[in-house]
């Protein structure tokens, strides 16, 4: 048995039956819900609990990340939307049209994260427009985190259902 066969036997390249895919999915959504607009959520909790310097740090970090995100959107927003739509439609065609399992797995990761990105941009615009600081800021970041967690939970559930369907179908058909 050669090295190439050994590696691919050890690491199943089918996405939905691969333990690494599920670990990556969990880490992906855990990170997405921890970093709200680039601000770690423990910083929000510390600012809410302690106030003082922790709140000043939260205001500064949120301001920097909101300005950075909105600057990127203003400078190259249309290009990013176009490229994102192109890549998502190509990925959807591979996933749905051709039934490629790897493309399906990527689509289950990327499509909900695109929604999170759009909601994050909307949240950043709201924070800047209302010049949120202090309690208003951490409430807004908390709402954004809750929305991210809801979308993540739904995404993981739908991905698990589709993954089980794929594994049962391929297992029954012997593919």
């Amino acid at each position: 048995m050669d090295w190439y066969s050994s590696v691919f036997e050890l690491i199943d390249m089918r996405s939905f039956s691969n333990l690494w895919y599920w670990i990556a999915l969990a880490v992906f959504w855990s990170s997405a819900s921890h970093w709200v607009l680039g601000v770690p959520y423990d910083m929000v909790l510390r600012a809410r609990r302690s106030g003082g310097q922790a709140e000043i740090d939260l205001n500064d970090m949120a301001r920097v990340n909101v300005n950075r995100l909105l600057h990127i959107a203003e400078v190259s927003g249309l290009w990013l939307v176009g490229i994102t739509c192109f890549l998502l439609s190509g990925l959807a065609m591979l996933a749905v049209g051709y039934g490629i399992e790897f493309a399906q797995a990527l689509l289950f990761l990327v499509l909900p994260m695109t929604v999170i990105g759009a909601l994050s941009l909307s949240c950043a615009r709201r924070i800047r427009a209302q010049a949120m600081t202090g309690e208003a800021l951490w409430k807004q970041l908390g709402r954004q985190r809750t929305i991210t967690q809801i979308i993540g939970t739904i995404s993981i559930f739908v991905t698990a259902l589709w993954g089980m369907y794929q594994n049962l179908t391929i297992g029954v058909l012997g593919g």
Side-chain angles (χ1 to χ4, degrees):
M1 188 184 266
D2 64 351
W3 180 82
Y4 185 77
S5 300
S6 299
V7 168
F8 281 99
E9 186 176 315
L10 179 64
I11 303 172
D12 185 8
M13 294 310 286
R14 288 184 31 245
S15 301
F16 295 113
S17 64
N18 191 334
L19 177 63
W20 292 109
Y21 175 75
W22 296 104
I23 291 171
L25 183 72
V27 169
F28 188 73
W29 282 108
S30 175
S31 297
S33 68
H34 179 69
W35 293 88
V36 181
L37 295 180
V39 178
Y41 198 70
D42 62 293
M43 185 179 238
V44 175
L45 294 176
R46 192 169 47 252
R48 184 172 16 179
R49 238 180 294 123
S50 304
Q53 186 60 44
E55 191 170 336
I56 292 168
D57 292 345
L58 173 66
N59 292 337
D60 291 342
M61 185 145 184
R63 180 184 45 79
V64 167
N65 285 323
V66 162
N67 288 339
R68 182 179 150 272
L69 185 61
L70 293 177
H71 176 73
I72 291 169
E74 290 165 2
V75 170
S76 55
L78 287 176
W79 281 101
L80 288 174
V81 168
I83 291 168
T84 301
C85 289
F86 172 76
L87 293 175
L88 279 176
S89 62
L91 192 59
M93 179 58 74
L94 290 172
V96 177
Y98 292 105
I100 297 173
E101 187 174 338
F102 183 71
Q104 292 169 358
L106 281 179
L107 191 62
F108 279 118
L109 284 171
V110 175
L111 187 61
M113 195 48 69
T114 304
V115 173
I116 296 294
L119 291 172
S120 294
L121 187 60
S122 173
C123 179
R125 284 192 175 124
R126 193 173 312 113
I127 288 170
R128 182 192 271 174
Q130 297 175 11
M132 290 183 190
T133 58
E135 184 178 349
L137 177 63
W138 55 257
K139 281 185 176 179
Q140 182 64 42
L141 293 174
R143 277 192 293 275
Q144 180 66 21
R145 181 176 192 239
T146 301
I147 291 169
T148 300
Q149 288 175 329
I150 290 169
I151 291 172
T153 302
I154 293 168
S155 174
I156 290 170
F157 179 73
V158 170
T159 302
L161 286 179
W162 185 255
M164 285 187 285
Y165 171 75
Q166 286 289 86
N167 288 333
L168 289 173
T169 303
I170 290 172
V172 168
L173 298 177

